[in-house]
Amino acid sequence: MAFVRRCARPMLAAVFVTGGYDQLRNPNGRAGLAARFVNRLAELTGLPDDPEMAVRANGAIMLAGGSLLAADRAPRLASLMLAAALIPTTVVGHDYWNRTDEAVAARDRVQFFKNLGLLGGLVLSAAATDRGPGRHACIAAGPAAGASGPCPS
């Protein structure tokens, strides 16, 4: 299973590395979509009301998290970072339920559910360990299951 994770994590990370890089370099198109969300967030939290900066920050998180995940460094943290960045991106950028043009709504629906699938992959990546069944399974199995030696810590 460790081999599968080592192959799958870079594949999952690729969309975040490329998308994050694009957001850092070209935030303008997305800043318009993010403006309403960023304005509301600024009112509630006192954070700067700067949609372009918010898009760049989201891109930086995606680029950093994707790079960490692709390199298999801190994969749980990287997966959680990416999930945290993906949720507002999906809700703000692909709100198909608010679209009046059916073609645009259809496109955003596909992107929304694609991102939902990516979120599922990130949750699996965050939950996956490279230690086998884990300490709790070892303790539960106990000596009756033929466990020899101490359980992993």
Side-chain angles (χ1 to χ4, degrees):
M1 192 59 117
F3 175 75
V4 171
R5 280 190 293 272
R6 288 198 188 276
C7 293
R9 285 178 174 152
M11 288 187 266
L12 179 59
V15 71
F16 296 103
V17 171
T18 58
Y21 180 74
D22 186 52
Q23 284 184 37
L24 278 170
R25 294 205 49 193
N26 307 304
N28 297 337
R30 292 174 185 93
L33 289 172
R36 198 173 89 221
F37 175 77
V38 173
N39 295 338
R40 182 75 175 130
L41 189 64
E43 288 174 12
L44 293 173
T45 63
L47 290 171
D49 187 1
D50 185 349
E52 187 174 310
M53 183 182 71
V55 169
R56 285 182 194 261
N58 192 57
I61 291 168
M62 286 189 175
L63 181 59
S67 298
L68 286 170
L69 189 61
D72 204 24
R73 299 287 182 239
R76 286 183 173 181
L77 174 63
S79 297
L80 293 173
M81 287 171 56
L82 292 170
L86 185 61
I87 291 169
T89 298
T90 302
V91 173
V92 171
H94 304 299
D95 57 342
Y96 66 90
W97 53 91
N98 288 328
R99 304 292 188 228
T100 54
D101 182 333
E102 187 52 41
V104 173
R107 183 200 68 216
D108 277 342
R109 189 177 306 108
V110 167
Q111 293 301 313
F112 181 91
F113 286 104
K114 178 219 28 140
N115 284 6
L116 191 61
L118 287 171
L119 184 59
L122 291 169
V123 169
L124 287 172
S125 178
T129 67
D130 294 332
R131 292 181 160 175
R135 181 170 174 72
H136 297 293
C138 177
I139 291 170
S148 61
C151 292
S153 54

CSV table of all heavy atoms in Angstrom, one decimal, residues 115-147:
chain,number,residue,atom,x,y,z
A,115,ASN,N,-14.2,18.8,-8.0
A,115,ASN,CA,-13.5,19.2,-6.8
A,115,ASN,C,-13.9,18.4,-5.6
A,115,ASN,O,-13.1,18.2,-4.7
A,115,ASN,CB,-13.7,20.7,-6.6
A,115,ASN,CG,-12.9,21.6,-7.5
A,115,ASN,OD1,-12.2,21.1,-8.4
A,115,ASN,ND2,-13.0,22.9,-7.3
A,116,LEU,N,-15.2,18.0,-5.6
A,116,LEU,CA,-15.6,17.2,-4.5
A,116,LEU,C,-14.9,15.8,-4.5
A,116,LEU,O,-14.5,15.3,-3.4
A,116,LEU,CB,-17.2,16.9,-4.6
A,116,LEU,CG,-17.9,16.3,-3.4
A,116,LEU,CD1,-17.7,17.1,-2.2
A,116,LEU,CD2,-19.3,16.1,-3.8
A,117,GLY,N,-14.7,15.3,-5.7
A,117,GLY,CA,-13.8,14.1,-5.8
A,117,GLY,C,-12.4,14.3,-5.3
A,117,GLY,O,-11.8,13.4,-4.6
A,118,LEU,N,-11.8,15.4,-5.7
A,118,LEU,CA,-10.5,15.8,-5.2
A,118,LEU,C,-10.5,15.9,-3.7
A,118,LEU,O,-9.5,15.4,-3.0
A,118,LEU,CB,-10.0,17.1,-5.8
A,118,LEU,CG,-9.6,17.0,-7.3
A,118,LEU,CD1,-9.4,18.4,-7.8
A,118,LEU,CD2,-8.4,16.2,-7.5
A,119,LEU,N,-11.5,16.5,-3.1
A,119,LEU,CA,-11.6,16.6,-1.7
A,119,LEU,C,-11.6,15.2,-1.0
A,119,LEU,O,-10.9,15.0,0.0
A,119,LEU,CB,-12.8,17.4,-1.3
A,119,LEU,CG,-13.0,17.7,0.2
A,119,LEU,CD1,-11.8,18.5,0.7
A,119,LEU,CD2,-14.3,18.5,0.4
A,120,GLY,N,-12.3,14.3,-1.6
A,120,GLY,CA,-12.4,12.9,-1.1
A,120,GLY,C,-11.0,12.3,-1.2
A,120,GLY,O,-10.5,11.6,-0.2
A,121,GLY,N,-10.2,12.5,-2.3
A,121,GLY,CA,-8.9,12.0,-2.4
A,121,GLY,C,-8.0,12.6,-1.3
A,121,GLY,O,-7.1,11.9,-0.7
A,122,LEU,N,-8.2,13.9,-1.0
A,122,LEU,CA,-7.4,14.6,0.0
A,122,LEU,C,-7.7,14.0,1.4
A,122,LEU,O,-6.8,13.8,2.2
A,122,LEU,CB,-7.6,16.1,0.0
A,122,LEU,CG,-7.0,16.8,-1.2
A,122,LEU,CD1,-7.5,18.2,-1.3
A,122,LEU,CD2,-5.5,16.7,-1.3
A,123,VAL,N,-8.9,13.7,1.6
A,123,VAL,CA,-9.3,13.1,2.9
A,123,VAL,C,-8.7,11.7,3.1
A,123,VAL,O,-8.1,11.4,4.1
A,123,VAL,CB,-10.8,13.0,3.1
A,123,VAL,CG1,-11.3,12.2,4.3
A,123,VAL,CG2,-11.4,14.4,3.2
A,124,LEU,N,-8.7,10.9,2.0
A,124,LEU,CA,-8.0,9.6,2.0
A,124,LEU,C,-6.5,9.8,2.2
A,124,LEU,O,-5.9,9.0,3.0
A,124,LEU,CB,-8.3,8.9,0.8
A,124,LEU,CG,-9.7,8.3,0.6
A,124,LEU,CD1,-9.9,7.7,-0.8
A,124,LEU,CD2,-10.0,7.2,1.7
A,125,SER,N,-5.9,10.7,1.6
A,125,SER,CA,-4.5,11.0,1.7
A,125,SER,C,-4.2,11.4,3.1
A,125,SER,O,-3.1,10.9,3.7
A,125,SER,CB,-4.0,12.0,0.7
A,125,SER,OG,-2.7,12.3,0.9
A,126,ALA,N,-5.0,12.2,3.7
A,126,ALA,CA,-4.7,12.7,5.1
A,126,ALA,C,-4.9,11.6,6.1
A,126,ALA,O,-4.2,11.5,7.1
A,126,ALA,CB,-5.7,13.8,5.5
A,127,ALA,N,-5.8,10.6,5.8
A,127,ALA,CA,-6.1,9.5,6.7
A,127,ALA,C,-5.1,8.4,6.6
A,127,ALA,O,-4.9,7.6,7.5
A,127,ALA,CB,-7.5,9.0,6.5
A,128,ALA,N,-4.4,8.3,5.4
A,128,ALA,CA,-3.6,7.1,5.1
A,128,ALA,C,-2.2,7.3,5.9
A,128,ALA,O,-1.7,8.4,6.0
A,128,ALA,CB,-3.3,7.1,3.6
A,129,THR,N,-1.8,6.1,6.3
A,129,THR,CA,-0.5,6.1,7.0
A,129,THR,C,0.4,5.1,6.3
A,129,THR,O,0.0,4.3,5.6
A,129,THR,CB,-0.6,5.7,8.5
A,129,THR,OG1,-1.0,4.3,8.5
A,129,THR,CG2,-1.6,6.6,9.2
A,130,ASP,N,1.7,5.2,6.6
A,130,ASP,CA,2.6,4.3,6.0
A,130,ASP,C,3.1,3.3,7.0
A,130,ASP,O,4.1,2.6,6.8
A,130,ASP,CB,3.9,5.1,5.5
A,130,ASP,CG,3.5,5.9,4.3
A,130,ASP,OD1,2.6,5.6,3.6
A,130,ASP,OD2,4.2,7.0,4.1
A,131,ARG,N,2.3,3.1,8.1
A,131,ARG,CA,2.7,2.2,9.2
A,131,ARG,C,1.9,0.9,9.2
A,131,ARG,O,2.0,0.2,10.2
A,131,ARG,CB,2.5,2.9,10.5
A,131,ARG,CG,3.4,4.1,10.7
A,131,ARG,CD,3.1,4.7,12.0
A,131,ARG,NE,4.3,5.4,12.5
A,131,ARG,CZ,4.2,6.1,13.6
A,131,ARG,NH1,3.1,6.1,14.4
A,131,ARG,NH2,5.3,6.8,14.0
A,132,GLY,N,1.1,0.6,8.2
A,132,GLY,CA,0.3,-0.6,8.3
A,132,GLY,C,-0.9,-0.4,9.1
A,132,GLY,O,-1.4,0.7,9.1
A,133,PRO,N,-1.4,-1.4,9.7
A,133,PRO,CA,-2.7,-1.3,10.4
A,133,PRO,C,-2.8,-0.3,11.6
A,133,PRO,O,-3.8,0.1,12.0
A,133,PRO,CB,-3.0,-2.7,10.8
A,133,PRO,CG,-1.7,-3.4,10.9
A,133,PRO,CD,-0.8,-2.7,9.9
A,134,GLY,N,-1.6,0.0,12.1
A,134,GLY,CA,-1.6,0.9,13.2
A,134,GLY,C,-1.6,0.3,14.6
A,134,GLY,O,-2.0,-0.8,14.8
A,135,ARG,N,-1.3,1.1,15.6
A,135,ARG,CA,-1.2,0.7,17.0
A,135,ARG,C,-2.5,0.2,17.5
A,135,ARG,O,-2.6,-0.8,18.2
A,135,ARG,CB,-0.7,1.9,17.8
A,135,ARG,CG,-0.5,1.6,19.2
A,135,ARG,CD,0.3,2.7,19.9
A,135,ARG,NE,0.4,2.5,21.3
A,135,ARG,CZ,1.2,1.6,21.9
A,135,ARG,NH1,1.9,0.8,21.2
A,135,ARG,NH2,1.2,1.4,23.2
A,136,HIS,N,-3.6,0.9,17.3
A,136,HIS,CA,-4.9,0.5,17.8
A,136,HIS,C,-5.3,-0.9,17.4
A,136,HIS,O,-5.8,-1.7,18.1
A,136,HIS,CB,-6.0,1.6,17.5
A,136,HIS,CG,-5.7,2.9,18.1
A,136,HIS,ND1,-5.6,3.1,19.5
A,136,HIS,CD2,-5.3,4.1,17.6
A,136,HIS,CE1,-5.3,4.3,19.7
A,136,HIS,NE2,-5.1,5.0,18.6
A,137,ALA,N,-5.1,-1.2,16.1
A,137,ALA,CA,-5.4,-2.5,15.6
A,137,ALA,C,-4.6,-3.6,16.2
A,137,ALA,O,-5.0,-4.7,16.5
A,137,ALA,CB,-5.3,-2.5,14.0
A,138,CYS,N,-3.3,-3.2,16.4
A,138,CYS,CA,-2.4,-4.2,17.0
A,138,CYS,C,-2.8,-4.5,18.5
A,138,CYS,O,-2.8,-5.7,18.9
A,138,CYS,CB,-1.0,-3.6,17.0
A,138,CYS,SG,0.3,-4.6,17.8
A,139,ILE,N,-3.1,-3.4,19.2
A,139,ILE,CA,-3.5,-3.6,20.6
A,139,ILE,C,-4.8,-4.4,20.7
A,139,ILE,O,-5.0,-5.3,21.5
A,139,ILE,CB,-3.6,-2.3,21.3
A,139,ILE,CG1,-2.2,-1.6,21.5
A,139,ILE,CG2,-4.3,-2.4,22.7
A,139,ILE,CD1,-2.3,-0.2,21.9
A,140,ALA,N,-5.8,-4.1,19.8
A,140,ALA,CA,-7.0,-4.8,19.8
A,140,ALA,C,-6.9,-6.3,19.5
A,140,ALA,O,-7.5,-7.2,20.0
A,140,ALA,CB,-8.0,-4.2,18.8
A,141,ALA,N,-5.9,-6.6,18.5
A,141,ALA,CA,-5.7,-8.0,18.2
A,141,ALA,C,-5.1,-8.8,19.3
A,141,ALA,O,-5.4,-9.9,19.6
A,141,ALA,CB,-4.8,-8.1,16.9
A,142,GLY,N,-4.1,-8.1,20.0
A,142,GLY,CA,-3.4,-8.7,21.1
A,142,GLY,C,-2.7,-10.0,20.8
A,142,GLY,O,-2.6,-10.5,19.7
A,143,PRO,N,-2.3,-10.7,21.9
A,143,PRO,CA,-1.6,-12.0,21.7
A,143,PRO,C,-2.4,-13.1,21.1
A,143,PRO,O,-1.9,-14.0,20.5
A,143,PRO,CB,-1.2,-12.3,23.2
A,143,PRO,CG,-1.5,-11.2,24.0
A,143,PRO,CD,-2.4,-10.3,23.2
A,144,ALA,N,-3.7,-13.0,21.2
A,144,ALA,CA,-4.6,-14.1,20.7
A,144,ALA,C,-4.4,-14.1,19.2
A,144,ALA,O,-4.6,-15.2,18.6
A,144,ALA,CB,-6.0,-13.8,21.1
A,145,ALA,N,-4.1,-13.0,18.5
A,145,ALA,CA,-4.0,-13.0,17.1
A,145,ALA,C,-2.6,-13.4,16.6
A,145,ALA,O,-2.3,-13.3,15.4
A,145,ALA,CB,-4.4,-11.6,16.5
A,146,GLY,N,-1.7,-13.7,17.5
A,146,GLY,CA,-0.4,-14.2,17.2
A,146,GLY,C,0.6,-13.0,17.0
A,146,GLY,O,1.6,-13.1,16.4
A,147,ALA,N,0.2,-11.9,17.6
A,147,ALA,CA,1.1,-10.7,17.5
A,147,ALA,C,2.4,-11.0,18.3
A,147,ALA,O,2.3,-11.4,19.4
A,147,ALA,CB,0.4,-9.4,18.0
